[in-house]
Amino acid sequence: GIQVEQSPPDLILQEGANSTLRCNFSDSVNNLQWFHQNPWGQLINLFYIPSGTKQNGRLSATTVATERYSLLYISSSQTTDSGVYFCATDPRGAQKLVFGQGTRLTINP
Amino acid sequence: DTEVTQTPKHLVMGMTNKKSLKCEQHMGHRAMYWYKQKAKKPPELMFVYSYEKLSINESVPSRFSPECPNSSLLNLHLHALQPEDSALYLCASSHRDGYEQYFGPGTRLTVT
């Protein structure tokens, strides 16, 4: 099955810093989503981005489907950005999301 | 409105109990999903319903029994669970399978 790898596994930053999270996937995909899981377990949709670039406030994402990777950029980090960031892909024909292992982001004040 | 609701938020049950988890969406989505998430791990798919029919069962033990009574509602019936089944159970929905999925807040289940 498809392999989804995220890096780095852990990231600790000071408030105000910028960061780049990476997601590599091993096969062609229909769908790629980025989520933020808050401390209570809620998965919050950040981006649905099978290809191209999107921006939402301080966050932006780019997926290069032909090279099988996606990047999530967080600028001017705030403590509320802390949590686990997952990318998840839907391999073509698979009907399901396969998640990476996540990046645990800690933003210190 | 992109809301998926789940009840209860927390559930503690003994190994001989029978309980049910409930998931509801009113976005007109026709695909609904159950995922299981253990601590410090990513969510893993359990079941997919597409147009109210079970389309994927990821070899889940029969002590977990899904039900989709209508296009807005998804249940997960639990019976004779084991302590290792303790986890966060997440429900999701999408317009159709293969489209963007939206997750509920989850039910945190503890089996004693």
Side-chain angles (χ1 to χ4, degrees):
Chain A
I2 192 169
Q3 304 297 312
V4 183
E5 294 179 356
Q6 289 187 243
S7 58
D10 294 280
L11 189 56
I12 301 174
L13 299 170
Q14 292 298 120
E15 205 166 19
N18 301 330
S19 57
T20 301
L21 282 56
R22 186 176 180 101
C23 174
N24 292 333
F25 43 96
S26 61
D27 205 350
S28 300
V29 298
N30 281 335
N31 172 8
L32 189 133
Q33 292 186 242
W34 283 99
F35 297 93
H36 176 210
Q37 188 163 43
N38 66 23
W40 298 272
Q42 172 86 56
L43 278 168
I44 299 162
N45 288 43
L46 298 178
F47 293 102
Y48 171 74
I49 186 164
S51 63
T53 296
K54 291 186 178 180
Q55 178 150 12
N56 184 3
R58 296 182 295 103
L59 273 60
S60 64
T62 294
T63 298
V64 183
T66 52
E67 297 187 23
R68 299 182 182 166
Y69 73 88
S70 184
L71 301 173
L72 177 69
Y73 306 96
I74 305 173
S75 64
S76 305
S77 297
Q78 300 175 358
T79 55
T80 51
D81 294 331
S82 294
V84 182
Y85 289 79
F86 288 106
C87 73
T89 67
D90 179 357
R92 288 183 181 175
Q95 277 190 294
K96 63 181 183 181
L97 281 181
V98 177
F99 284 75
Q101 292 297 308
T103 291
R104 182 171 298 276
L105 177 65
T106 303
I107 305 296
N108 292 321
Chain B
D1 182 12
T2 55
E3 189 178 27
V4 178
T5 60
Q6 289 187 244
T7 54
K9 286 187 170 51
H10 300 274
L11 179 62
V12 179
M13 61 184 290
M15 289 190 284
T16 58
N17 292 157
K18 286 185 182 181
K19 297 284 185 184
S20 297
L21 309 185
K22 180 180 170 182
C23 172
E24 202 160 4
Q25 59 87 14
H26 295 288
M27 296 178 277
H29 288 174
R30 302 312 300 269
M32 296 186 76
Y33 312 79
W34 281 114
Y35 290 82
K36 175 181 178 179
Q37 186 178 21
K38 300 283 279 185
K40 298 191 185 302
K41 295 290 187 183
E44 291 184 338
L45 182 72
M46 299 174 73
F47 301 104
V48 178
Y49 273 84
S50 182
Y51 291 86
E52 297 147 57
K53 288 186 174 19
L54 182 65
S55 59
I56 293 182
N57 175 342
E58 291 284 280
S59 303
V60 178
S62 60
R63 57 185 184 269
F64 295 91
S65 176
E67 179 196 19
C68 189
N70 59 58
S71 60
S72 300
L73 192 54
L74 186 66
N75 297 320
L76 186 63
H77 302 298
L78 314 172
H79 171 57
L81 295 193
Q82 304 297 310
E84 58 264 30
D85 296 322
S86 299
L88 180 67
Y89 288 84
L90 294 161
C91 173
S93 71
S94 64
H95 177 59
R96 290 187 307 179
D97 52 71
Y99 285 65
E100 184 175 10
Q101 291 188 26
Y102 296 88
F103 282 78
T107 293
R108 202 165 290 279
L109 173 68
T110 303
V111 181
T112 61

PDB file of all heavy atoms in Angstrom, chain B residues 4-36:
ATOM      1  N   VAL B   4     -19.510  17.809  11.861  1.00  0.00           N
ATOM      2  CA  VAL B   4     -19.839  16.428  12.153  1.00  0.00           C
ATOM      3  C   VAL B   4     -19.903  16.310  13.673  1.00  0.00           C
ATOM      4  O   VAL B   4     -18.971  16.746  14.365  1.00  0.00           O
ATOM      5  CB  VAL B   4     -18.765  15.472  11.598  1.00  0.00           C
ATOM      6  CG1 VAL B   4     -19.092  14.028  11.960  1.00  0.00           C
ATOM      7  CG2 VAL B   4     -18.639  15.629  10.082  1.00  0.00           C
ATOM      8  N   THR B   5     -21.000  15.782  14.184  1.00  0.00           N
ATOM      9  CA  THR B   5     -21.141  15.661  15.633  1.00  0.00           C
ATOM     10  C   THR B   5     -21.024  14.202  16.047  1.00  0.00           C
ATOM     11  O   THR B   5     -21.422  13.291  15.296  1.00  0.00           O
ATOM     12  CB  THR B   5     -22.481  16.232  16.122  1.00  0.00           C
ATOM     13  OG1 THR B   5     -23.551  15.509  15.489  1.00  0.00           O
ATOM     14  CG2 THR B   5     -22.599  17.704  15.778  1.00  0.00           C
ATOM     15  N   GLN B   6     -20.484  13.982  17.247  1.00  0.00           N
ATOM     16  CA  GLN B   6     -20.338  12.637  17.781  1.00  0.00           C
ATOM     17  C   GLN B   6     -20.776  12.632  19.236  1.00  0.00           C
ATOM     18  O   GLN B   6     -20.466  13.567  19.986  1.00  0.00           O
ATOM     19  CB  GLN B   6     -18.877  12.165  17.710  1.00  0.00           C
ATOM     20  CG  GLN B   6     -18.392  11.869  16.321  1.00  0.00           C
ATOM     21  CD  GLN B   6     -17.007  11.247  16.311  1.00  0.00           C
ATOM     22  OE1 GLN B   6     -16.069  11.831  15.804  1.00  0.00           O
ATOM     23  NE2 GLN B   6     -16.905  10.049  16.889  1.00  0.00           N
ATOM     24  N   THR B   7     -21.484  11.589  19.619  1.00  0.00           N
ATOM     25  CA  THR B   7     -21.853  11.379  21.010  1.00  0.00           C
ATOM     26  C   THR B   7     -21.647   9.920  21.382  1.00  0.00           C
ATOM     27  O   THR B   7     -21.797   9.028  20.545  1.00  0.00           O
ATOM     28  CB  THR B   7     -23.338  11.750  21.248  1.00  0.00           C
ATOM     29  OG1 THR B   7     -24.161  11.023  20.320  1.00  0.00           O
ATOM     30  CG2 THR B   7     -23.566  13.246  21.103  1.00  0.00           C
ATOM     31  N   PRO B   8     -21.278   9.659  22.645  1.00  0.00           N
ATOM     32  CA  PRO B   8     -20.887  10.640  23.659  1.00  0.00           C
ATOM     33  C   PRO B   8     -19.470  11.143  23.444  1.00  0.00           C
ATOM     34  O   PRO B   8     -18.749  10.610  22.599  1.00  0.00           O
ATOM     35  CB  PRO B   8     -20.982   9.819  24.949  1.00  0.00           C
ATOM     36  CG  PRO B   8     -20.600   8.435  24.519  1.00  0.00           C
ATOM     37  CD  PRO B   8     -21.163   8.259  23.141  1.00  0.00           C
ATOM     38  N   LYS B   9     -19.040  12.134  24.218  1.00  0.00           N
ATOM     39  CA  LYS B   9     -17.657  12.604  24.131  1.00  0.00           C
ATOM     40  C   LYS B   9     -16.707  11.608  24.809  1.00  0.00           C
ATOM     41  O   LYS B   9     -15.578  11.397  24.361  1.00  0.00           O
ATOM     42  CB  LYS B   9     -17.508  13.970  24.797  1.00  0.00           C
ATOM     43  CG  LYS B   9     -18.093  15.112  24.005  1.00  0.00           C
ATOM     44  CD  LYS B   9     -17.749  16.448  24.650  1.00  0.00           C
ATOM     45  CE  LYS B   9     -18.096  17.640  23.780  1.00  0.00           C
ATOM     46  NZ  LYS B   9     -19.463  17.629  23.260  1.00  0.00           N
ATOM     47  N   HIS B  10     -17.164  11.067  25.916  1.00  0.00           N
ATOM     48  CA  HIS B  10     -16.363  10.095  26.678  1.00  0.00           C
ATOM     49  C   HIS B  10     -17.253   8.902  26.996  1.00  0.00           C
ATOM     50  O   HIS B  10     -18.460   9.071  27.222  1.00  0.00           O
ATOM     51  CB  HIS B  10     -15.866  10.697  27.994  1.00  0.00           C
ATOM     52  CG  HIS B  10     -14.996  11.899  27.827  1.00  0.00           C
ATOM     53  ND1 HIS B  10     -13.638  11.830  27.623  1.00  0.00           N
ATOM     54  CD2 HIS B  10     -15.298  13.225  27.831  1.00  0.00           C
ATOM     55  CE1 HIS B  10     -13.140  13.055  27.516  1.00  0.00           C
ATOM     56  NE2 HIS B  10     -14.123  13.919  27.639  1.00  0.00           N
ATOM     57  N   LEU B  11     -16.653   7.713  27.042  1.00  0.00           N
ATOM     58  CA  LEU B  11     -17.394   6.503  27.375  1.00  0.00           C
ATOM     59  C   LEU B  11     -16.456   5.552  28.100  1.00  0.00           C
ATOM     60  O   LEU B  11     -15.357   5.281  27.620  1.00  0.00           O
ATOM     61  CB  LEU B  11     -17.948   5.847  26.114  1.00  0.00           C
ATOM     62  CG  LEU B  11     -18.726   4.544  26.291  1.00  0.00           C
ATOM     63  CD1 LEU B  11     -19.967   4.787  27.132  1.00  0.00           C
ATOM     64  CD2 LEU B  11     -19.116   3.973  24.928  1.00  0.00           C
ATOM     65  N   VAL B  12     -16.911   5.100  29.267  1.00  0.00           N
ATOM     66  CA  VAL B  12     -16.195   4.068  30.002  1.00  0.00           C
ATOM     67  C   VAL B  12     -17.108   2.855  30.043  1.00  0.00           C
ATOM     68  O   VAL B  12     -18.271   2.959  30.430  1.00  0.00           O
ATOM     69  CB  VAL B  12     -15.852   4.528  31.439  1.00  0.00           C
ATOM     70  CG1 VAL B  12     -15.115   3.413  32.179  1.00  0.00           C
ATOM     71  CG2 VAL B  12     -14.999   5.794  31.401  1.00  0.00           C
ATOM     72  N   MET B  13     -16.615   1.711  29.645  1.00  0.00           N
ATOM     73  CA  MET B  13     -17.442   0.514  29.628  1.00  0.00           C
ATOM     74  C   MET B  13     -16.650  -0.709  30.055  1.00  0.00           C
ATOM     75  O   MET B  13     -15.428  -0.772  29.857  1.00  0.00           O
ATOM     76  CB  MET B  13     -18.073   0.297  28.252  1.00  0.00           C
ATOM     77  CG  MET B  13     -17.104   0.110  27.124  1.00  0.00           C
ATOM     78  SD  MET B  13     -17.921  -0.015  25.507  1.00  0.00           S
ATOM     79  CE  MET B  13     -18.725  -1.610  25.619  1.00  0.00           C
ATOM     80  N   GLY B  14     -17.355  -1.648  30.655  1.00  0.00           N
ATOM     81  CA  GLY B  14     -16.749  -2.907  31.030  1.00  0.00           C
ATOM     82  C   GLY B  14     -16.733  -3.859  29.849  1.00  0.00           C
ATOM     83  O   GLY B  14     -17.387  -3.641  28.827  1.00  0.00           O
ATOM     84  N   MET B  15     -15.981  -4.921  29.998  1.00  0.00           N
ATOM     85  CA  MET B  15     -15.796  -5.868  28.887  1.00  0.00           C
ATOM     86  C   MET B  15     -17.072  -6.638  28.555  1.00  0.00           C
ATOM     87  O   MET B  15     -17.177  -7.198  27.458  1.00  0.00           O
ATOM     88  CB  MET B  15     -14.646  -6.825  29.215  1.00  0.00           C
ATOM     89  CG  MET B  15     -13.287  -6.134  29.178  1.00  0.00           C
ATOM     90  SD  MET B  15     -11.915  -7.289  29.275  1.00  0.00           S
ATOM     91  CE  MET B  15     -11.964  -7.708  31.004  1.00  0.00           C
ATOM     92  N   THR B  16     -18.038  -6.642  29.453  1.00  0.00           N
ATOM     93  CA  THR B  16     -19.279  -7.367  29.163  1.00  0.00           C
ATOM     94  C   THR B  16     -20.403  -6.444  28.691  1.00  0.00           C
ATOM     95  O   THR B  16     -21.499  -6.896  28.374  1.00  0.00           O
ATOM     96  CB  THR B  16     -19.754  -8.138  30.401  1.00  0.00           C
ATOM     97  OG1 THR B  16     -19.943  -7.213  31.478  1.00  0.00           O
ATOM     98  CG2 THR B  16     -18.730  -9.189  30.803  1.00  0.00           C
ATOM     99  N   ASN B  17     -20.125  -5.146  28.657  1.00  0.00           N
ATOM    100  CA  ASN B  17     -21.172  -4.187  28.300  1.00  0.00           C
ATOM    101  C   ASN B  17     -21.431  -4.160  26.799  1.00  0.00           C
ATOM    102  O   ASN B  17     -20.581  -4.557  25.991  1.00  0.00           O
ATOM    103  CB  ASN B  17     -20.778  -2.771  28.733  1.00  0.00           C
ATOM    104  CG  ASN B  17     -20.752  -2.599  30.232  1.00  0.00           C
ATOM    105  OD1 ASN B  17     -20.081  -1.715  30.741  1.00  0.00           O
ATOM    106  ND2 ASN B  17     -21.481  -3.433  30.965  1.00  0.00           N
ATOM    107  N   LYS B  18     -22.618  -3.632  26.451  1.00  0.00           N
ATOM    108  CA  LYS B  18     -22.929  -3.265  25.067  1.00  0.00           C
ATOM    109  C   LYS B  18     -23.220  -1.774  25.048  1.00  0.00           C
ATOM    110  O   LYS B  18     -24.049  -1.305  25.823  1.00  0.00           O
ATOM    111  CB  LYS B  18     -24.173  -3.993  24.570  1.00  0.00           C
ATOM    112  CG  LYS B  18     -24.000  -5.455  24.268  1.00  0.00           C
ATOM    113  CD  LYS B  18     -25.285  -6.005  23.661  1.00  0.00           C
ATOM    114  CE  LYS B  18     -25.173  -7.493  23.382  1.00  0.00           C
ATOM    115  NZ  LYS B  18     -26.394  -8.044  22.785  1.00  0.00           N
ATOM    116  N   LYS B  19     -22.561  -1.066  24.154  1.00  0.00           N
ATOM    117  CA  LYS B  19     -22.779   0.369  24.025  1.00  0.00           C
ATOM    118  C   LYS B  19     -22.735   0.735  22.544  1.00  0.00           C
ATOM    119  O   LYS B  19     -22.296  -0.064  21.709  1.00  0.00           O
ATOM    120  CB  LYS B  19     -21.692   1.166  24.759  1.00  0.00           C
ATOM    121  CG  LYS B  19     -21.645   0.947  26.264  1.00  0.00           C
ATOM    122  CD  LYS B  19     -22.769   1.685  26.958  1.00  0.00           C
ATOM    123  CE  LYS B  19     -22.631   1.545  28.470  1.00  0.00           C
ATOM    124  NZ  LYS B  19     -23.762   2.182  29.174  1.00  0.00           N
ATOM    125  N   SER B  20     -23.147   1.971  22.242  1.00  0.00           N
ATOM    126  CA  SER B  20     -23.099   2.449  20.863  1.00  0.00           C
ATOM    127  C   SER B  20     -22.533   3.850  20.799  1.00  0.00           C
ATOM    128  O   SER B  20     -22.790   4.673  21.683  1.00  0.00           O
ATOM    129  CB  SER B  20     -24.506   2.457  20.253  1.00  0.00           C
ATOM    130  OG  SER B  20     -25.037   1.152  20.185  1.00  0.00           O
ATOM    131  N   LEU B  21     -21.769   4.110  19.750  1.00  0.00           N
ATOM    132  CA  LEU B  21     -21.302   5.458  19.430  1.00  0.00           C
ATOM    133  C   LEU B  21     -22.152   5.979  18.276  1.00  0.00           C
ATOM    134  O   LEU B  21     -22.524   5.220  17.381  1.00  0.00           O
ATOM    135  CB  LEU B  21     -19.830   5.440  19.012  1.00  0.00           C
ATOM    136  CG  LEU B  21     -18.849   4.722  19.934  1.00  0.00           C
ATOM    137  CD1 LEU B  21     -17.425   4.918  19.411  1.00  0.00           C
ATOM    138  CD2 LEU B  21     -18.987   5.174  21.361  1.00  0.00           C
ATOM    139  N   LYS B  22     -22.405   7.296  18.325  1.00  0.00           N
ATOM    140  CA  LYS B  22     -23.265   7.899  17.312  1.00  0.00           C
ATOM    141  C   LYS B  22     -22.537   9.021  16.609  1.00  0.00           C
ATOM    142  O   LYS B  22     -21.794   9.783  17.233  1.00  0.00           O
ATOM    143  CB  LYS B  22     -24.535   8.418  17.967  1.00  0.00           C
ATOM    144  CG  LYS B  22     -25.530   9.085  17.036  1.00  0.00           C
ATOM    145  CD  LYS B  22     -26.749   9.554  17.821  1.00  0.00           C
ATOM    146  CE  LYS B  22     -27.642  10.423  16.976  1.00  0.00           C
ATOM    147  NZ  LYS B  22     -28.805  10.931  17.739  1.00  0.00           N
ATOM    148  N   CYS B  23     -22.768   9.130  15.310  1.00  0.00           N
ATOM    149  CA  CYS B  23     -22.174  10.179  14.489  1.00  0.00           C
ATOM    150  C   CYS B  23     -23.258  10.746  13.586  1.00  0.00           C
ATOM    151  O   CYS B  23     -24.056   9.992  13.007  1.00  0.00           O
ATOM    152  CB  CYS B  23     -21.037   9.605  13.665  1.00  0.00           C
ATOM    153  SG  CYS B  23     -20.341  10.727  12.445  1.00  0.00           S
ATOM    154  N   GLU B  24     -23.288  12.069  13.428  1.00  0.00           N
ATOM    155  CA  GLU B  24     -24.318  12.700  12.617  1.00  0.00           C
ATOM    156  C   GLU B  24     -23.723  13.835  11.794  1.00  0.00           C
ATOM    157  O   GLU B  24     -22.865  14.576  12.281  1.00  0.00           O
ATOM    158  CB  GLU B  24     -25.432  13.233  13.528  1.00  0.00           C
ATOM    159  CG  GLU B  24     -26.751  13.422  12.851  1.00  0.00           C
ATOM    160  CD  GLU B  24     -27.918  13.468  13.847  1.00  0.00           C
ATOM    161  OE1 GLU B  24     -27.696  13.429  15.068  1.00  0.00           O
ATOM    162  OE2 GLU B  24     -29.060  13.541  13.374  1.00  0.00           O
ATOM    163  N   GLN B  25     -24.172  13.961  10.560  1.00  0.00           N
ATOM    164  CA  GLN B  25     -23.803  15.099   9.713  1.00  0.00           C
ATOM    165  C   GLN B  25     -25.012  15.525   8.903  1.00  0.00           C
ATOM    166  O   GLN B  25     -25.825  14.686   8.532  1.00  0.00           O
ATOM    167  CB  GLN B  25     -22.599  14.744   8.809  1.00  0.00           C
ATOM    168  CG  GLN B  25     -22.801  13.561   7.884  1.00  0.00           C
ATOM    169  CD  GLN B  25     -23.443  13.878   6.544  1.00  0.00           C
ATOM    170  OE1 GLN B  25     -23.540  15.042   6.128  1.00  0.00           O
ATOM    171  NE2 GLN B  25     -23.882  12.844   5.823  1.00  0.00           N
ATOM    172  N   HIS B  26     -25.097  16.827   8.658  1.00  0.00           N
ATOM    173  CA  HIS B  26     -26.212  17.374   7.892  1.00  0.00           C
ATOM    174  C   HIS B  26     -25.686  18.197   6.724  1.00  0.00           C
ATOM    175  O   HIS B  26     -26.230  19.243   6.395  1.00  0.00           O
ATOM    176  CB  HIS B  26     -27.119  18.204   8.800  1.00  0.00           C
ATOM    177  CG  HIS B  26     -27.795  17.386   9.859  1.00  0.00           C
ATOM    178  ND1 HIS B  26     -28.819  16.509   9.588  1.00  0.00           N
ATOM    179  CD2 HIS B  26     -27.554  17.271  11.191  1.00  0.00           C
ATOM    180  CE1 HIS B  26     -29.201  15.912  10.703  1.00  0.00           C
ATOM    181  NE2 HIS B  26     -28.455  16.357  11.694  1.00  0.00           N
ATOM    182  N   MET B  27     -24.608  17.704   6.115  1.00  0.00           N
ATOM    183  CA  MET B  27     -24.004  18.393   4.979  1.00  0.00           C
ATOM    184  C   MET B  27     -24.401  17.754   3.657  1.00  0.00           C
ATOM    185  O   MET B  27     -23.895  18.150   2.607  1.00  0.00           O
ATOM    186  CB  MET B  27     -22.472  18.383   5.132  1.00  0.00           C
ATOM    187  CG  MET B  27     -22.006  19.160   6.346  1.00  0.00           C
ATOM    188  SD  MET B  27     -20.218  19.108   6.567  1.00  0.00           S
ATOM    189  CE  MET B  27     -20.025  17.538   7.415  1.00  0.00           C
ATOM    190  N   GLY B  28     -25.266  16.725   3.711  1.00  0.00           N
ATOM    191  CA  GLY B  28     -25.645  16.033   2.488  1.00  0.00           C
ATOM    192  C   GLY B  28     -24.564  15.112   1.957  1.00  0.00           C
ATOM    193  O   GLY B  28     -24.609  14.702   0.795  1.00  0.00           O
ATOM    194  N   HIS B  29     -23.583  14.803   2.816  1.00  0.00           N
ATOM    195  CA  HIS B  29     -22.503  13.916   2.395  1.00  0.00           C
ATOM    196  C   HIS B  29     -23.010  12.486   2.257  1.00  0.00           C
ATOM    197  O   HIS B  29     -23.870  12.033   3.022  1.00  0.00           O
ATOM    198  CB  HIS B  29     -21.358  13.956   3.411  1.00  0.00           C
ATOM    199  CG  HIS B  29     -20.589  15.244   3.367  1.00  0.00           C
ATOM    200  ND1 HIS B  29     -19.596  15.539   4.286  1.00  0.00           N
ATOM    201  CD2 HIS B  29     -20.647  16.300   2.526  1.00  0.00           C
ATOM    202  CE1 HIS B  29     -19.080  16.715   3.997  1.00  0.00           C
ATOM    203  NE2 HIS B  29     -19.711  17.210   2.941  1.00  0.00           N
ATOM    204  N   ARG B  30     -22.461  11.747   1.278  1.00  0.00           N
ATOM    205  CA  ARG B  30     -22.931  10.389   1.023  1.00  0.00           C
ATOM    206  C   ARG B  30     -21.900   9.337   1.387  1.00  0.00           C
ATOM    207  O   ARG B  30     -22.144   8.153   1.174  1.00  0.00           O
ATOM    208  CB  ARG B  30     -23.354  10.244  -0.439  1.00  0.00           C
ATOM    209  CG  ARG B  30     -24.451  11.223  -0.864  1.00  0.00           C
ATOM    210  CD  ARG B  30     -25.621  11.279   0.112  1.00  0.00           C
ATOM    211  NE  ARG B  30     -26.285  10.014   0.284  1.00  0.00           N
ATOM    212  CZ  ARG B  30     -27.339   9.632  -0.464  1.00  0.00           C
ATOM    213  NH1 ARG B  30     -27.792  10.415  -1.420  1.00  0.00           N
ATOM    214  NH2 ARG B  30     -27.908   8.458  -0.252  1.00  0.00           N
ATOM    215  N   ALA B  31     -20.752   9.744   1.908  1.00  0.00           N
ATOM    216  CA  ALA B  31     -19.761   8.786   2.401  1.00  0.00           C
ATOM    217  C   ALA B  31     -19.475   9.104   3.861  1.00  0.00           C
ATOM    218  O   ALA B  31     -19.306  10.271   4.229  1.00  0.00           O
ATOM    219  CB  ALA B  31     -18.473   8.863   1.589  1.00  0.00           C
ATOM    220  N   MET B  32     -19.447   8.073   4.690  1.00  0.00           N
ATOM    221  CA  MET B  32     -19.158   8.248   6.106  1.00  0.00           C
ATOM    222  C   MET B  32     -18.171   7.173   6.549  1.00  0.00           C
ATOM    223  O   MET B  32     -18.146   6.068   5.992  1.00  0.00           O
ATOM    224  CB  MET B  32     -20.434   8.200   6.946  1.00  0.00           C
ATOM    225  CG  MET B  32     -21.384   9.361   6.620  1.00  0.00           C
ATOM    226  SD  MET B  32     -22.829   9.460   7.682  1.00  0.00           S
ATOM    227  CE  MET B  32     -22.120  10.156   9.176  1.00  0.00           C
ATOM    228  N   TYR B  33     -17.367   7.532   7.537  1.00  0.00           N
ATOM    229  CA  TYR B  33     -16.206   6.716   7.906  1.00  0.00           C
ATOM    230  C   TYR B  33     -16.080   6.606   9.427  1.00  0.00           C
ATOM    231  O   TYR B  33     -16.382   7.554  10.143  1.00  0.00           O
ATOM    232  CB  TYR B  33     -14.914   7.380   7.400  1.00  0.00           C
ATOM    233  CG  TYR B  33     -14.932   7.839   5.954  1.00  0.00           C
ATOM    234  CD1 TYR B  33     -15.557   9.025   5.592  1.00  0.00           C
ATOM    235  CD2 TYR B  33     -14.292   7.097   4.959  1.00  0.00           C
ATOM    236  CE1 TYR B  33     -15.563   9.457   4.273  1.00  0.00           C
ATOM    237  CE2 TYR B  33     -14.286   7.527   3.642  1.00  0.00           C
ATOM    238  CZ  TYR B  33     -14.925   8.707   3.308  1.00  0.00           C
ATOM    239  OH  TYR B  33     -14.932   9.128   1.994  1.00  0.00           O
ATOM    240  N   TRP B  34     -15.574   5.468   9.882  1.00  0.00           N
ATOM    241  CA  TRP B  34     -15.104   5.320  11.255  1.00  0.00           C
ATOM    242  C   TRP B  34     -13.592   5.084  11.231  1.00  0.00           C
ATOM    243  O   TRP B  34     -13.102   4.242  10.477  1.00  0.00           O
ATOM    244  CB  TRP B  34     -15.762   4.139  11.967  1.00  0.00           C
ATOM    245  CG  TRP B  34     -17.146   4.378  12.467  1.00  0.00           C
ATOM    246  CD1 TRP B  34     -18.291   3.786  12.043  1.00  0.00           C
ATOM    247  CD2 TRP B  34     -17.539   5.268  13.525  1.00  0.00           C
ATOM    248  NE1 TRP B  34     -19.376   4.250  12.745  1.00  0.00           N
ATOM    249  CE2 TRP B  34     -18.944   5.164  13.669  1.00  0.00           C
ATOM    250  CE3 TRP B  34     -16.855   6.148  14.371  1.00  0.00           C
ATOM    251  CZ2 TRP B  34     -19.663   5.896  14.606  1.00  0.00           C
ATOM    252  CZ3 TRP B  34     -17.575   6.873  15.302  1.00  0.00           C
ATOM    253  CH2 TRP B  34     -18.956   6.751  15.417  1.00  0.00           C
ATOM    254  N   TYR B  35     -12.886   5.851  12.106  1.00  0.00           N
ATOM    255  CA  TYR B  35     -11.455   5.679  12.310  1.00  0.00           C
ATOM    256  C   TYR B  35     -11.214   5.425  13.790  1.00  0.00           C
ATOM    257  O   TYR B  35     -11.950   5.893  14.646  1.00  0.00           O
ATOM    258  CB  TYR B  35     -10.681   6.952  11.930  1.00  0.00           C
ATOM    259  CG  TYR B  35     -10.622   7.267  10.454  1.00  0.00           C
ATOM    260  CD1 TYR B  35     -11.673   7.916   9.825  1.00  0.00           C
ATOM    261  CD2 TYR B  35      -9.493   6.948   9.705  1.00  0.00           C
ATOM    262  CE1 TYR B  35     -11.609   8.230   8.472  1.00  0.00           C
ATOM    263  CE2 TYR B  35      -9.417   7.258   8.346  1.00  0.00           C
ATOM    264  CZ  TYR B  35     -10.482   7.890   7.747  1.00  0.00           C
ATOM    265  OH  TYR B  35     -10.409   8.207   6.409  1.00  0.00           O
ATOM    266  N   LYS B  36     -10.119   4.727  14.062  1.00  0.00           N
ATOM    267  CA  LYS B  36      -9.672   4.481  15.431  1.00  0.00           C
ATOM    268  C   LYS B  36      -8.286   5.102  15.583  1.00  0.00           C
ATOM    269  O   LYS B  36      -7.430   4.945  14.697  1.00  0.00           O
ATOM    270  CB  LYS B  36      -9.592   2.979  15.687  1.00  0.00           C
ATOM    271  CG  LYS B  36      -9.017   2.578  17.032  1.00  0.00           C
ATOM    272  CD  LYS B  36      -8.969   1.065  17.140  1.00  0.00           C
ATOM    273  CE  LYS B  36      -8.356   0.606  18.436  1.00  0.00           C
ATOM    274  NZ  LYS B  36      -8.340  -0.891  18.535  1.00  0.00           N
TER     275      LYS B  36
END
